[in-house]
Amino acid sequence: MDAQRALLDELMGAARNLTEEEKKGYREIRWDDKEVCRFYMVRFCPHDLFVNTRSDLGACPKVHDLKLKESFEKSPRHDSHVPKFEAELAHYCEKLVADLDRKVRRGRERLAQEVEIPSPPLISAEKSEQLSVLEDKIKNLLEQVESLGEAGKVDEAEALMRKVEMLNAEKTALTQQPQQDKVLMMAQEKKMALCEVCGSFLIENDAAERTQSHVTGKQHMGYGTIRDFLAEYKAAKEKAIEEERLAREREAEEQRKLREREYGNRRRSIESVDRDRYRDRDHDREREQYPERNRDRERSRDRSSRERLEDGRRSDWKYNSSRNRREGRRDRY
């Protein structure tokens, strides 16, 4: 019915059954409206998992619409809203699982308080032999009773039947266990166990068909779905936290290396300045200690400068004289 309604909504619109007056005040629901179930949008709604079971949560008070879910999946805002919706679903599921785990703990304590039931005692070899003898006697007497009955000897047949009844009573006395042993035996056969997934009480070593029916039941599968989702969500969250931690460590390492490079550059710059300062200071000290040597050095530098200057002037003069002679020679021709 819901699938057919969703198909009609998709083909004809959700307002197909409204009158013209009703359509005037009608507002089409969008996937991001508050009345839309976010759990259904992103994964599943827990209210849909336990319908008609002992864990039934009742109908979901919010809108479940396949068309809105498809619209959400195609929306450009889908990826940014998924983490928020999943976090809300995980919070709700954690409350359900916490309530169930309390129920499981109470059930486990209840089973632990039950007295261990001893197995019924076996029949001794002596009683077994007596039972075998009695069964043979009863069998023979019954054959005789049948023969006497066919011969019409009713009184003799009845006398033998009374012996058979006495032998049966003796056999019952040998085989019958006390009533308490019978109760214990039944209890032993129906020892209870607890399902750790959904908290249901089961019969230990029950038939395979009944066990399979429980495993494929709505309650067991519903809580299995919730537990699987929580395990997946927590694993993804832990992975994201670990990746964020590694990213912070990488960033811190890069910052450390950058600081080391900057410190090395500053240190080399300071060392260079210090070397220049020490060299200038040494020169000043040397000039103060050996003024004559410094004067000779300065005279030598000045003389070298003058000689270079004069050499330059002579070269210029020679070049100009040579050019003048060449130009004068051209003029004569």
Side-chain angles (χ1 to χ4, degrees):
M1 181 65 70
D2 293 337
Q4 295 175 353
R5 187 181 296 110
L7 179 61
L8 290 174
D9 289 343
E10 183 177 357
L11 295 175
M12 303 175 61
R16 63 185 185 279
N17 295 325
L18 300 180
T19 63
E20 293 299 327
E21 288 294 328
E22 291 174 337
K23 288 181 180 179
K24 292 179 180 179
Y26 174 76
R27 183 182 68 85
E28 187 175 359
I29 299 177
R30 299 171 52 186
W31 63 263
D32 55 351
D33 289 340
K34 292 183 178 180
E35 55 264 39
V36 177
C37 180
R38 296 181 173 183
F39 303 159
Y40 178 79
M41 289 289 103
V42 70
R43 286 295 188 96
F44 58 86
C45 179
H47 290 266
D48 295 338
L49 301 178
F50 306 106
V51 178
N52 297 328
T53 68
R54 287 180 296 176
S55 300
D56 195 336
L57 301 174
C60 181
K62 297 192 175 183
V63 176
H64 290 194
D65 192 320
L66 183 60
K67 185 178 180 181
L68 293 177
K69 186 172 185 177
E70 293 175 352
S71 176
F72 169 65
E73 292 173 351
K74 296 177 182 178
S75 172
R77 295 185 292 159
H78 173 268
D79 294 342
S80 61
H81 281 68
V82 166
K84 180 181 178 181
F85 291 177
E86 285 188 344
E88 294 178 0
L89 176 59
H91 181 68
Y92 186 78
C93 289
E94 284 173 351
K95 293 195 296 183
L96 293 178
V97 171
D99 294 339
L100 177 63
D101 288 342
R102 283 193 291 269
K103 178 182 176 182
V104 170
R105 284 195 297 271
R106 289 195 299 267
R108 198 181 294 119
E109 293 171 358
R110 175 181 167 187
L111 291 177
Q113 292 174 356
E114 292 183 356
V115 180
E116 187 68 22
I117 303 172
S119 57
L122 298 175
I123 299 176
S124 63
E126 183 180 356
K127 286 186 177 181
S128 179
E129 186 177 354
Q130 291 176 3
L131 286 173
S132 180
V133 172
L134 287 173
E135 288 174 354
D136 290 340
K137 288 182 179 180
I138 292 171
K139 182 179 179 181
N140 292 331
L141 288 175
L142 288 175
E143 290 177 355
Q144 294 178 20
V145 168
E146 186 178 357
S147 299
L148 291 173
E150 292 176 353
K153 299 178 180 180
V154 179
D155 295 337
E156 296 177 1
E158 289 179 353
L160 291 177
M161 280 300 300
R162 285 192 290 272
K163 290 183 179 181
V164 170
E165 291 175 358
M166 292 174 62
L167 292 174
N168 280 328
E170 188 176 351
K171 178 182 175 182
T172 301
L174 287 174
T175 57
Q176 187 177 17
Q177 298 292 332
Q179 187 66 24
Q180 183 179 1
D181 289 346
K182 286 185 177 181
V183 173
L184 292 175
M185 188 181 298
M186 293 176 63
Q188 179 74 13
E189 292 175 353
K190 295 185 178 182
K191 187 175 180 180
M192 301 302 293
L194 188 68
C195 178
E196 297 291 338
V197 176
C198 65
S200 299
F201 283 98
L202 307 172
I203 298 176
E204 194 174 281
N205 300 324
D206 202 356
E209 294 80 3
R210 291 172 61 87
T211 303
Q212 183 66 22
S213 177
H214 167 75
V215 171
T216 58
K218 279 186 178 181
Q219 181 163 317
H220 185 91
M221 293 187 67
Y223 278 112
T225 299
I226 289 176
R227 292 184 184 276
D228 290 343
F229 164 70
L230 286 177
E232 178 186 347
Y233 177 78
K234 290 178 180 178
K237 191 173 182 180
E238 291 174 358
K239 182 179 178 181
I241 293 173
E242 180 65 15
E243 290 178 351
E244 184 178 355
R245 183 186 66 81
L246 294 175
R248 287 199 303 269
E249 290 181 354
R250 287 193 297 269
E251 184 179 358
E253 181 66 16
E254 293 175 358
Q255 292 292 333
R256 184 186 64 80
K257 292 180 179 179
L258 179 60
R259 287 194 299 270
E260 288 180 353
R261 287 195 296 269
E262 292 177 351
Y263 174 75
N265 294 334
R266 287 197 302 269
R267 185 173 180 179
R268 285 190 293 271
S269 177
I270 292 172
E271 290 176 351
S272 177
V273 171
D274 290 342
R275 282 195 301 270
D276 294 341
R277 186 166 59 247
Y278 293 150
R279 186 172 56 251
D280 294 341
R281 187 170 60 188
D282 291 341
H283 290 167
D284 295 339
R285 188 182 298 114
E286 185 179 355
R287 282 195 297 270
E288 292 175 358
Q289 291 178 355
Y290 307 103
E292 294 179 358
R293 183 187 300 175
N294 291 326
R295 283 197 296 270
D296 294 341
R297 189 179 297 165
E298 290 176 358
R299 290 194 193 100
S300 176
R301 284 200 295 268
D302 293 340
R303 187 165 52 253
S304 298
S305 298
R306 287 195 299 272
E307 290 175 354
R308 285 195 298 272
L309 180 60
E310 291 176 358
D311 290 341
R313 287 175 178 174
R314 282 195 294 270
S315 297
D316 292 341
W317 181 82
K318 290 179 181 180
Y319 173 78
N320 292 329
S321 299
S322 175
R323 187 178 62 179
N324 291 333
R325 285 195 299 271
R326 287 196 301 271
E327 289 177 352
R329 191 179 297 116
R330 291 194 195 99
D331 292 338
R332 288 198 299 272
Y333 290 110

